[in-house]
mmCIF file of all heavy atoms in Angstrom:
data_model
loop_
_atom_site.group_PDB
_atom_site.id
_atom_site.type_symbol
_atom_site.label_atom_id
_atom_site.label_comp_id
_atom_site.label_asym_id
_atom_site.label_seq_id
_atom_site.Cartn_x
_atom_site.Cartn_y
_atom_site.Cartn_z
ATOM 1 N N LEU A 1 13.965 40.511 77.057
ATOM 2 C CA LEU A 1 13.825 39.125 76.602
ATOM 3 C C LEU A 1 13.526 38.174 77.752
ATOM 4 O O LEU A 1 13.990 37.043 77.790
ATOM 5 C CB LEU A 1 15.102 38.682 75.861
ATOM 6 C CG LEU A 1 15.484 39.551 74.659
ATOM 7 C CD1 LEU A 1 16.691 38.993 73.925
ATOM 8 C CD2 LEU A 1 14.311 39.713 73.708
ATOM 9 N N GLY A 18 9.114 45.344 72.239
ATOM 10 C CA GLY A 18 8.889 43.920 72.085
ATOM 11 C C GLY A 18 9.351 43.177 73.319
ATOM 12 O O GLY A 18 10.077 43.712 74.152
ATOM 13 N N GLY A 28 1.165 37.421 82.392
ATOM 14 C CA GLY A 28 -0.169 37.948 82.140
ATOM 15 C C GLY A 28 -0.189 39.422 81.800
ATOM 16 O O GLY A 28 -1.177 40.118 82.047
ATOM 17 N N ALA A 61 21.198 36.954 82.118
ATOM 18 C CA ALA A 61 22.545 36.388 82.173
ATOM 19 C C ALA A 61 22.515 34.888 82.425
ATOM 20 O O ALA A 61 23.543 34.211 82.310
ATOM 21 C CB ALA A 61 23.349 37.079 83.275
ATOM 22 N N ALA A 89 17.288 41.981 96.492
ATOM 23 C CA ALA A 89 18.333 42.997 96.283
ATOM 24 C C ALA A 89 18.700 43.115 94.809
ATOM 25 O O ALA A 89 19.006 44.217 94.326
ATOM 26 C CB ALA A 89 19.571 42.655 97.116
ATOM 27 N N LEU A 92 15.901 45.070 93.187
ATOM 28 C CA LEU A 92 15.962 46.470 93.579
ATOM 29 C C LEU A 92 17.050 47.213 92.808
ATOM 30 O O LEU A 92 16.842 48.347 92.355
ATOM 31 C CB LEU A 92 16.218 46.567 95.089
ATOM 32 C CG LEU A 92 16.020 47.936 95.744
ATOM 33 C CD1 LEU A 92 14.566 48.383 95.622
ATOM 34 C CD2 LEU A 92 16.450 47.898 97.204
ATOM 35 N N LEU A 95 15.824 47.653 89.201
ATOM 36 C CA LEU A 95 14.792 48.686 89.141
ATOM 37 C C LEU A 95 15.408 50.077 89.265
ATOM 38 O O LEU A 95 15.004 51.013 88.567
ATOM 39 C CB LEU A 95 13.760 48.462 90.252
ATOM 40 C CG LEU A 95 12.619 49.485 90.315
ATOM 41 C CD1 LEU A 95 11.721 49.364 89.087
ATOM 42 C CD2 LEU A 95 11.811 49.305 91.597
ATOM 43 N N GLY A 103 14.147 58.295 84.283
ATOM 44 C CA GLY A 103 13.979 59.530 85.032
ATOM 45 C C GLY A 103 12.816 59.505 85.995
ATOM 46 O O GLY A 103 12.290 60.558 86.378
ATOM 47 N N SER A 134 13.666 23.629 110.749
ATOM 48 C CA SER A 134 14.382 22.954 109.663
ATOM 49 C C SER A 134 13.449 22.792 108.473
ATOM 50 O O SER A 134 12.259 22.501 108.631
ATOM 51 C CB SER A 134 14.903 21.590 110.118
ATOM 52 O OG SER A 134 13.843 20.770 110.567
ATOM 53 N N ILE A 138 12.248 21.757 97.813
ATOM 54 C CA ILE A 138 12.395 20.870 96.654
ATOM 55 C C ILE A 138 11.889 21.559 95.404
ATOM 56 O O ILE A 138 10.795 22.140 95.397
ATOM 57 C CB ILE A 138 11.610 19.558 96.855
ATOM 58 C CG1 ILE A 138 12.158 18.769 98.042
ATOM 59 C CG2 ILE A 138 11.658 18.697 95.590
ATOM 60 C CD1 ILE A 138 11.351 17.509 98.360
ATOM 61 N N ALA A 147 16.878 19.293 95.824
ATOM 62 C CA ALA A 147 16.789 20.274 96.900
ATOM 63 C C ALA A 147 17.428 21.568 96.421
ATOM 64 O O ALA A 147 18.359 21.553 95.613
ATOM 65 C CB ALA A 147 17.497 19.742 98.150
ATOM 66 N N ASP A 151 20.490 29.598 96.100
ATOM 67 C CA ASP A 151 20.618 29.952 94.687
ATOM 68 C C ASP A 151 19.238 30.038 94.047
ATOM 69 O O ASP A 151 19.096 30.157 92.832
ATOM 70 C CB ASP A 151 21.476 28.930 93.941
ATOM 71 C CG ASP A 151 20.881 27.529 93.989
ATOM 72 O OD1 ASP A 151 20.095 27.239 94.917
ATOM 73 O OD2 ASP A 151 21.217 26.702 93.110
ATOM 74 N N ASP A 164 16.606 26.676 108.821
ATOM 75 C CA ASP A 164 17.737 25.764 108.651
ATOM 76 C C ASP A 164 17.431 24.874 107.456
ATOM 77 O O ASP A 164 16.658 23.926 107.561
ATOM 78 C CB ASP A 164 17.923 24.940 109.924
ATOM 79 C CG ASP A 164 18.981 23.854 109.795
ATOM 80 O OD1 ASP A 164 19.826 23.958 108.884
ATOM 81 O OD2 ASP A 164 18.957 22.892 110.590
ATOM 82 N N TYR A 170 23.210 18.701 103.611
ATOM 83 C CA TYR A 170 23.283 17.464 102.821
ATOM 84 C C TYR A 170 23.458 17.838 101.351
ATOM 85 O O TYR A 170 22.485 17.980 100.612
ATOM 86 C CB TYR A 170 22.010 16.629 102.996
ATOM 87 C CG TYR A 170 21.748 16.174 104.407
ATOM 88 C CD1 TYR A 170 20.990 16.966 105.275
ATOM 89 C CD2 TYR A 170 22.229 14.957 104.883
ATOM 90 C CE1 TYR A 170 20.732 16.554 106.581
ATOM 91 C CE2 TYR A 170 21.971 14.533 106.181
ATOM 92 C CZ TYR A 170 21.228 15.339 107.023
ATOM 93 O OH TYR A 170 20.977 14.929 108.309
ATOM 94 N N ILE A 183 14.298 11.228 105.450
ATOM 95 C CA ILE A 183 13.747 10.538 106.623
ATOM 96 C C ILE A 183 14.672 10.722 107.823
ATOM 97 O O ILE A 183 14.224 10.985 108.943
ATOM 98 C CB ILE A 183 13.543 9.042 106.323
ATOM 99 C CG1 ILE A 183 12.421 8.862 105.300
ATOM 100 C CG2 ILE A 183 13.223 8.269 107.607
ATOM 101 C CD1 ILE A 183 12.296 7.448 104.767
ATOM 102 N N ALA A 184 15.980 10.614 107.595
ATOM 103 C CA ALA A 184 16.947 10.763 108.685
ATOM 104 C C ALA A 184 16.914 12.169 109.259
ATOM 105 O O ALA A 184 17.012 12.357 110.477
ATOM 106 C CB ALA A 184 18.353 10.424 108.177
ATOM 107 N N ALA A 185 16.757 13.165 108.414
ATOM 108 C CA ALA A 185 16.754 14.557 108.872
ATOM 109 C C ALA A 185 15.396 14.963 109.436
ATOM 110 O O ALA A 185 15.318 15.786 110.345
ATOM 111 C CB ALA A 185 17.142 15.479 107.723
ATOM 112 N N LEU A 218 6.822 11.251 107.858
ATOM 113 C CA LEU A 218 7.623 12.441 108.118
ATOM 114 C C LEU A 218 6.817 13.455 108.942
ATOM 115 O O LEU A 218 5.613 13.637 108.721
ATOM 116 C CB LEU A 218 8.063 13.090 106.804
ATOM 117 C CG LEU A 218 9.092 12.311 105.961
ATOM 118 C CD1 LEU A 218 9.216 12.927 104.574
ATOM 119 C CD2 LEU A 218 10.448 12.312 106.670
ATOM 120 N N MET A 228 2.918 23.225 99.006
ATOM 121 C CA MET A 228 3.167 23.580 97.617
ATOM 122 C C MET A 228 3.170 25.100 97.511
ATOM 123 O O MET A 228 2.190 25.765 97.852
ATOM 124 C CB MET A 228 2.051 23.007 96.745
ATOM 125 C CG MET A 228 2.130 23.407 95.307
ATOM 126 S SD MET A 228 3.333 22.430 94.419
ATOM 127 C CE MET A 228 3.069 23.078 92.771
ATOM 128 N N LEU A 229 4.288 25.678 97.085
ATOM 129 C CA LEU A 229 4.408 27.129 97.019
ATOM 130 C C LEU A 229 3.837 27.667 95.705
ATOM 131 O O LEU A 229 4.092 27.095 94.638
ATOM 132 C CB LEU A 229 5.871 27.548 97.149
ATOM 133 C CG LEU A 229 6.541 27.202 98.485
ATOM 134 C CD1 LEU A 229 8.024 27.601 98.455
ATOM 135 C CD2 LEU A 229 5.832 27.886 99.642
ATOM 136 N N PRO A 230 3.094 28.761 95.756
ATOM 137 C CA PRO A 230 2.504 29.319 94.526
ATOM 138 C C PRO A 230 3.572 29.863 93.574
ATOM 139 O O PRO A 230 4.493 30.560 93.993
ATOM 140 C CB PRO A 230 1.602 30.448 95.045
ATOM 141 C CG PRO A 230 2.127 30.784 96.409
ATOM 142 C CD PRO A 230 2.698 29.515 96.959
ATOM 143 N N LEU A 257 3.461 34.383 115.018
ATOM 144 C CA LEU A 257 3.704 35.787 114.675
ATOM 145 C C LEU A 257 2.796 36.296 113.571
ATOM 146 O O LEU A 257 2.937 37.423 113.119
ATOM 147 C CB LEU A 257 5.168 35.977 114.248
ATOM 148 C CG LEU A 257 6.250 35.621 115.283
ATOM 149 C CD1 LEU A 257 7.621 35.777 114.670
ATOM 150 C CD2 LEU A 257 6.099 36.486 116.519
#
Side-chain angles (χ1 to χ4, degrees):
L1 303 184
L92 193 63
L95 180 67
S134 58
I138 297 176
D151 61 337
D164 174 20
Y170 299 90
I183 292 170
L218 291 168
M228 175 79 176
L229 297 177
L257 300 176

